[in-house]
Amino acid sequence: MSPRDLSRRQFIAVTSATLLASQLPAEGVDLKSDDATKLAIEGGSKSLKNPSQKLIRWGEPERERLLSLLSQSTLLYWKAPQTTLLIQRFREHYPLKHVMTCSSGTAAVHVAIAAAGIGPGDEVITTPITDMGTVIGILFQQAVPVFADLNPHDYNLEIADVERKITSRTKAIIAVHLAGNPSKLNQLKQVADQHGLILIEDCAQAWGAAYQGKPVGTIGHIACWSLQDSKQITCGEGGIVASNDERFGQRLQPFADKGIDRNNVKQATEILATNYRMSELQAAFAAAQMTRMQGIAAQRAKLGNLLTREIQGLPGITAHQVDERDRCSYYSYILRIQPKFIHCGREQFVKALNAEGIAASAGYIPEPLYKKPLFQNHSFFAGRWPIREMGLTKMDYTKISCPEAEAILETCVLIRINQAMDEDYIRGIGAGIRKVTRHFTA
Ligand SMILES: *Cc1c(COP(=O)(O)O)cnc(C)c1O
């Protein structure tokens, strides 16, 4: 019998029975006390019984690379061994012709914007829930970030709202694969192609993520990655920008290297570009990290999807929605509480999770980007915004609202996921979320 054949009441009865069954303590757990229901914050036992393994992020491969650096006579990136190896290893996962290593993910996005030829007054549609690094490059090229609203379940750009935000000034869309969850790239590419826009993928949180079997970063016109410390793989600080498109690919290197075309250094500089070079030190480390990338992404994908199975359908909670054809590499796991059903504030809910031993936090960024004083005051350049003063844009961020994005930020709870965790640990997180949610929905 499929759910379709059941009455609503029967369906609820069946699903809650399944839920109850899934909430039964695992074998070997002490059944005597009411620990299974009493919150740890109220003196019950913790849901997470086994601590996670210590997260070890580097070792022999990194040591080997760093030692090999010492026999080099230069640490400049151009055609140097570490950078060459990094790019070669990167291409094994991302078959992109033009690849430029950068000093950060923010730099990589800035280079993409500049290489795309985006200039004063041009509009770039993107998400208001992202790292500032997504929009810094737009602003420095004197272009205008235009914020579109998000899908309430996967937290990525909502295609219909992207279409509504397109004007005659729109030049590009930056799709951020938030928390490693692929954006709807086919639809975004279709919209971009239809309107002659450049699709830039911000894959900073999405190492190893795949959209319908294809690695994210290989579908848009230009893609950017970050190697900052918090990302799935890192060299402390770093980034990569890459493209298969001849129009933009050739320009990635000079736009990250003070306008110098390293294939033709005598050529007169025609572009204004800053120094975003990555040194051989970072490249050596990143080349070693690249050998770990697929393993880390696969483990995070497995654990995040398991957590979804643990909490899916739990009244009061919305799981992180990932399309079953995609691979999300879970920079973190983002669930939402349904305030209508949870009889406590989000802070209290998160405190109860923390007491269970779960690394959870209330919210992601404190507010959507357009609510920051910097945007509200249009004070980007020494308190001024020249393109607005010149009439090149009428953008007024005090009038912007993206209701779904705001609702997401008000109700989301971040659960930390990393590759050192195992399935039992995730089941412990699941049990803790169920216990706390049941307590506050009862
Ligand atoms: C981290 C991040 C960036 C910026 O990367 P940095 O290396 O920190 O400059 C850009 N976009 C997103 C989505 C990020 O998470």
Side-chain angles (χ1 to χ4, degrees), residues 104-107 109 130-131 133-134 176 202 204-205 226-228 231 237-238 331 364:
S104 71
T106 304
V109 179
T130 184
D131 185 90
T134 306
V176 175
D202 180 341
Q205 302 184 2
S226 168
L227 290 158
Q228 185 269 339
K231 317 301 179 182
E237 301 285 354
Y331 177 62
Y364 169 44

Side-chain angles (χ1 to χ4, degrees), residues 189-319:
K189 187 72 182 349
Q190 204 174 3
V191 169
D193 288 345
Q194 211 174 335
H195 296 269
L197 310 178
I198 300 156
L199 178 61
I200 298 171
E201 292 184 60
D202 180 341
C203 311
Q205 302 184 2
W207 282 107
Y211 175 75
Q212 298 182 11
K214 288 191 211 127
V216 301
T218 59
I219 290 143
H221 297 97
I222 313 176
C224 313
W225 286 261
S226 168
L227 290 158
Q228 185 269 339
D229 188 68
S230 73
K231 317 301 179 182
Q232 288 96 340
I233 58 167
T234 183
C235 57
E237 301 285 354
I240 291 181
V241 57
S243 174
N244 262 340
D245 193 309
E246 292 304 325
R247 290 173 296 167
F248 317 119
Q250 309 271 5
R251 303 158 79 173
L252 300 178
Q253 182 274 316
F255 269 114
D257 193 356
K258 299 192 278 190
I260 304 160
D261 181 346
R262 291 271 166 187
N263 284 307
N264 192 1
V265 285
K266 296 253 166 61
Q267 198 179 46
T269 298
E270 285 180 18
I271 56 167
L272 174 65
T274 181
N275 176 358
Y276 282 148
R277 295 185 300 242
M278 176 194 279
S279 88
E280 279 279 274
L281 283 91
Q282 280 78 20
F285 207 91
Q289 288 271 295
M290 204 61 69
T291 65
R292 302 177 186 267
M293 191 268 285
Q294 290 293 356
I296 290 171
Q299 178 69 359
R300 285 179 178 240
K302 187 175 80 178
L303 298 176
N305 293 341
L306 173 60
L307 184 51
T308 291
R309 292 197 297 279
E310 288 284 315
I311 62 173
Q312 203 150 42
L314 186 60
I317 290 288
T318 312

Side-chain angles (χ1 to χ4, degrees), residues 29-88:
V29 171
D30 186 2
L31 277 169
K32 285 195 301 285
S33 62
D34 61 351
D35 276 4
T37 53
K38 191 168 182 189
L39 296 189
I41 204 168
E42 293 174 353
S45 73
K46 287 187 174 196
S47 300
L48 270 175
K49 305 250 165 22
N50 316 311
S52 164
Q53 297 286 314
K54 184 167 180 276
L55 180 59
I56 296 168
R57 302 175 74 191
W58 30 78
E60 243 353 276
E62 287 75 12
R63 184 198 308 277
E64 186 252 328
R65 281 291 98 215
L66 291 173
L67 283 175
S68 82
L69 266 178
L70 300 178
S71 55
Q72 290 181 211
S73 58
T74 171
L75 297 176
L76 180 72
Y77 78 100
W78 183 246
K79 294 199 167 156
Q82 311 298 339
T83 303
T84 303
L85 182 64
L86 169 58
I87 292 172
Q88 180 200 320

Side-chain angles (χ1 to χ4, degrees), residues 370-381 383-385 388-389 396-398:
Y370 55 79
K371 287 255 177 97
K372 286 181 186 285
L374 178 67
F375 286 88
Q376 291 289 303
N377 302 329
H378 306 101
S379 55
F380 303 110
F381 297 93
R384 302 172 61 179
W385 198 16
R388 194 155 179 259
E389 293 174 12
D396 181 347
Y397 290 109
T398 66

Side-chain angles (χ1 to χ4, degrees), residues 55-175:
L55 180 59
I56 296 168
R57 302 175 74 191
W58 30 78
E60 243 353 276
E62 287 75 12
R63 184 198 308 277
E64 186 252 328
R65 281 291 98 215
L66 291 173
L67 283 175
S68 82
L69 266 178
L70 300 178
S71 55
Q72 290 181 211
S73 58
T74 171
L75 297 176
L76 180 72
Y77 78 100
W78 183 246
K79 294 199 167 156
Q82 311 298 339
T83 303
T84 303
L85 182 64
L86 169 58
I87 292 172
Q88 180 200 320
R89 289 182 175 173
F90 172 84
R91 284 210 185 102
E92 286 166 10
H93 307 289
Y94 303 99
L96 297 165
K97 185 168 172 210
H98 302 276
V99 180
M100 180 60 187
T101 52
C102 303
S103 52
S104 71
T106 304
V109 179
H110 191 178
V111 169
I113 295 286
I118 290 160
D122 290 344
E123 295 177 357
V124 180
I125 298 172
T126 192
T127 162
I129 303 187
T130 184
D131 185 90
M132 267 299 282
T134 306
V135 298
I136 286 169
I138 305 173
L139 290 161
F140 270 100
Q141 291 310 107
Q142 308 299 336
V144 183
V146 172
F147 297 106
D149 213 347
L150 306 182
N151 178 286
H153 306 295
D154 66 24
Y155 324 129
N156 286 326
L157 284 174
E158 186 72 69
I159 311 300
D161 204 47
V162 169
E163 286 187 295
R164 275 193 288 275
K165 299 283 157 73
I166 294 174
T167 72
S168 59
R169 306 302 310 265
T170 309
K171 283 284 165 64
I173 300 167
I174 304 184

